[in-house]
Amino acid sequence: MASSSGPLNEELLCSICLDVFTDPVTAPCGHNFCRTCLNKFWTNTQTCFCPFCKEKFRKRPDLKINTTLREVVQHFKEKLNLGRPEAFCDFCDERKQKAVKSCLTCQSSYCETHLEPHHRVQRLKKHTLINAVENLEDYLCQKHERPLELFCRDDQMCVCLFCTEGEHRTHNTVPIEEESEEKKNQLVQTQTDIQQMIQNRRKKIQEIQHSVEERKRNTEEEKSASVELCTNLIRSIERCQYELLKMMEEQQKAAEKQAEDLIKELQQEISDLKKRNAELEQISHAEDHLYLLQMFSSLYSHLHTENWTEISTDSNMDVLPMKRVLIQLKKTLDKSLNEKLSQIGLKCVQTFAVDVTLDPETANPYLILSDDGKQVSFEDVEQDVRENPKRFDFCSCVLAKQGFSSGRFYFEVQVKGKTRWDLGVSRESINRKGKILLTPEDGYWTLILRNENRYKASDNPPLSFSLKVKPEHVGVFVDYEEGLVSFYDVESSFHIYSFTGQTFTDKLYPYFSPGHNDKGRNLNPLAILPVNK
């Protein structure tokens, strides 16, 4: 491969052979290649596409040499040789001709005409000829003024035949042509390695670009899904609001109709009562005693009226059913909203996943760690381990090797088939000897399982609760600056519990306790899982 420090070097290299272009051609996408390289590449592929950008072509393009680029390449190649000075014939009298060969024996350079005796005279044929060089003295031994025909591998230098009879007598020397070939092979191998490194790095660039594009697509999909979710929630709220307002209006109309009917009935009874009162007033002043006695029984009889004291006039009478509807509506919306927000929340925190491995230096002697540091289980037999200040000597727990003093991090743990476990984070300065209290004040933020289905958050005060679905994979998320530690059921995307408003000052370490074997019912290990984002 041609080499140069010039700025055009990279632009004039074929991305297939990684050498300077030979008969450059341009693909329809605009990328350039050696004509032979591109034809050979397409011969070995079923579909026709650009080897650099992967753009596909419906039919194989008719390639023509890019003459402008070919001239630039030719100029570039010539420029590479400008640094080599020209040698002229030592025997031309008037106009010096370019030398074609230099003789190390004669220590002179010759043009084609003056070189002729070296091809014809038997004695001169034995001389050592090389391509013409101006600095002929560099090819001669400075001590013996003899051609440098040998290479000393011990001293890594060129020597003459006389040198091998003196100070290089016991050294490993080989003909200079042999060493040159070996060095060429090394250069070719180095060149091949460099070409492979270039290809690997270009491939890595493509992988990174692909990863960025893939992440961009995923982000757009998540954004679209989030917008759709929020839109649906807004529509649900608007629909419920419309139905609620409609129901309130209908109830108001019904109340107004009921009031109107009651008022009419009351007004009618008032009219009847007024009429009876007038009749009673009239008869009470009558002097005809016989008439009074005849009318008394009919006018004094009981009036058929409603008992209005039993009719409620409370303005809140019709509001109670409405309150019940509102409460049920709120429960429905809260449940739907929590489910959706939990799904979105889990996807968000999973982007902060970190690689976590268990630290054997902290493990209680009754714990067994897997070779890869991803699983921990309890054994009834104490292990022979070295005592150190970091090790838990009483409680069966272990910390991760990785600690975090800023930012956000997330990890997932398999708890399937277990009846008890502790899981969370702890600060670096916790007490590790003797009994420990799993409280935030003592440096622990944990979720605890006991008796197979009794869960407890070690908050202050501690909170006990049960879950309808028993988690098999638990996700733990920490936001150091926000003072947040959250736990998730990964399978259902359900948010289990969060410690909020905490203040972290120490480095935080993931904390694990597989619990005792529980008479053989709790043998499964706690296993750190890779996060599927």
Side-chain angles (χ1 to χ4, degrees), residues 81-107:
N81 294 321
L82 289 179
R84 185 178 297 171
E86 292 182 342
F88 293 93
C89 179
D90 293 327
F91 295 92
C92 290
D93 293 329
E94 297 180 357
R95 186 183 178 190
K96 292 283 186 180
Q97 297 295 320
K98 269 188 182 182
V100 292
K101 294 289 182 180
S102 295
C103 179
L104 295 179
T105 307
C106 301
Q107 301 184 24

Side-chain angles (χ1 to χ4, degrees), residues 93-146:
D93 293 329
E94 297 180 357
R95 186 183 178 190
K96 292 283 186 180
Q97 297 295 320
K98 269 188 182 182
V100 292
K101 294 289 182 180
S102 295
C103 179
L104 295 179
T105 307
C106 301
Q107 301 184 24
S108 300
S109 297
Y110 301 92
C111 63
E112 285 284 0
T113 303
H114 292 105
L115 183 64
E116 187 271 335
H118 277 76
H119 296 313
R120 176 172 47 83
V121 179
Q122 190 64 32
R123 178 178 56 83
L124 297 178
K125 285 182 179 181
K126 297 179 180 180
H127 288 192
T128 304
L129 297 176
I130 61 172
N131 289 331
V133 293
E134 184 183 46
N135 52 336
L136 193 57
E137 63 275 7
D138 292 343
Y139 294 80
L140 299 174
C141 176
Q142 298 298 314
K143 184 176 182 180
H144 302 109
E145 295 187 353
R146 300 291 296 173

Side-chain angles (χ1 to χ4, degrees), residues 265 269-270 272-273 302-308:
E265 190 175 346
E269 290 193 3
I270 289 172
D272 293 342
L273 289 170
H302 181 69
L303 291 173
H304 297 288
T305 59
E306 293 285 347
N307 182 9
W308 294 99

Side-chain angles (χ1 to χ4, degrees), residues 173-196:
T173 57
V174 294
I176 199 168
E177 292 82 6
E178 180 181 334
E179 186 65 22
S180 177
E181 283 301 318
E182 185 169 329
K183 289 291 191 287
K184 282 182 180 180
N185 291 335
Q186 293 177 7
L187 291 174
V188 169
Q189 183 58 48
T190 302
Q191 187 179 21
T192 302
D193 294 341
I194 291 174
Q195 291 174 354
Q196 186 61 47

Side-chain angles (χ1 to χ4, degrees), residues 453-469:
N453 57 10
R454 286 181 50 239
Y455 295 89
K456 182 173 73 172
S458 61
D459 210 334
N460 189 12
L463 176 66
S464 297
F465 54 89
S466 60
L467 298 174
K468 292 182 179 179
V469 179

Side-chain angles (χ1 to χ4, degrees), residues 199-436:
Q199 287 182 334
N200 292 341
R201 280 151 181 75
R202 284 179 171 165
K203 184 178 179 182
K204 181 57 67 177
I205 289 173
Q206 292 178 351
E207 291 176 357
I208 294 172
Q209 291 173 337
H210 177 75
S211 175
V212 171
E213 290 298 323
E214 186 70 21
R215 184 174 183 85
K216 183 178 179 181
R217 283 194 296 271
N218 292 339
T219 301
E220 291 299 325
E221 290 176 0
E222 290 181 6
K223 285 169 60 179
S224 177
S226 299
V227 170
E228 183 180 0
L229 167 64
C230 293
T231 302
N232 290 337
L233 286 173
I234 292 171
R235 287 175 180 171
S236 298
I237 293 172
E238 289 176 345
R239 183 170 62 253
C240 292
Q241 182 185 29
Y242 170 77
E243 293 175 355
L244 178 61
L245 293 175
K246 183 179 179 181
M247 182 181 66
M248 292 172 67
E249 289 177 359
E250 290 175 350
Q251 289 184 341
Q252 177 63 28
K253 288 180 180 180
E256 290 176 357
K257 179 66 168 58
Q258 182 184 18
E260 184 180 347
D261 293 341
L262 290 174
I263 290 172
K264 285 182 179 180
E265 190 175 346
L266 282 167
Q267 288 176 340
Q268 180 62 45
E269 290 193 3
I270 289 172
S271 177
D272 293 342
L273 289 170
K274 283 182 177 180
K275 182 179 178 181
R276 175 65 63 87
N277 187 55
E279 291 175 346
L280 291 174
E281 179 69 21
Q282 182 181 359
I283 197 172
S284 66
H285 293 89
E287 295 181 357
D288 187 340
H289 302 292
L290 180 61
Y291 174 74
L292 186 146
L293 292 174
Q294 290 175 342
M295 298 297 296
F296 180 82
S297 60
S298 61
L299 293 176
Y300 193 71
S301 62
H302 181 69
L303 291 173
H304 297 288
T305 59
E306 293 285 347
N307 182 9
W308 294 99
T309 59
E310 297 179 359
I311 304 299
S312 174
T313 59
D314 187 359
S315 61
N316 294 324
M317 177 179 61
D318 295 324
V319 175
L320 293 177
M322 190 183 304
K323 284 185 176 179
R324 286 194 292 269
V325 172
L326 283 171
I327 292 171
Q328 185 58 42
L329 174 62
K330 183 179 184 301
K331 287 182 178 179
T332 303
L333 287 176
D334 284 348
K335 181 179 179 182
S336 175
L337 185 62
N338 284 336
E339 288 177 355
K340 298 299 183 182
L341 291 180
S342 292
Q343 292 174 4
I344 294 176
L346 182 59
K347 286 184 179 179
C348 290
V349 300
Q350 282 179 328
T351 61
F352 298 100
V354 294
D355 185 19
V356 174
T357 52
L358 302 172
D359 184 1
E361 294 295 315
T362 66
N364 179 275
Y366 285 90
L367 297 184
I368 300 294
L369 274 56
S370 61
D371 292 338
D372 61 359
K374 296 296 184 180
Q375 297 186 21
V376 56
S377 57
F378 183 86
E379 282 288 337
D380 293 326
V381 179
E382 184 177 5
Q383 310 299 309
D384 184 15
V385 293
R386 181 175 59 88
E387 175 55 33
N388 68 77
K390 297 198 305 181
R391 190 179 304 284
F392 292 92
D393 65 351
F394 183 82
C395 296
S396 57
C397 47
V398 60
L399 301 182
K401 292 180 179 179
Q402 295 76 18
F404 305 87
S405 55
S406 64
R408 305 178 180 114
F409 63 93
Y410 172 85
F411 60 94
E412 292 180 359
V413 180
Q414 178 174 287
V415 296
K416 182 178 180 181
K418 295 189 68 61
T419 61
R420 59 185 296 155
W421 47 260
D422 304 341
L423 189 60
V425 294
S426 67
R427 64 178 179 229
E428 186 174 25
S429 60
I430 52 173
N431 175 35
R432 309 186 189 199
K433 306 302 178 183
K435 290 184 178 181
I436 60 176

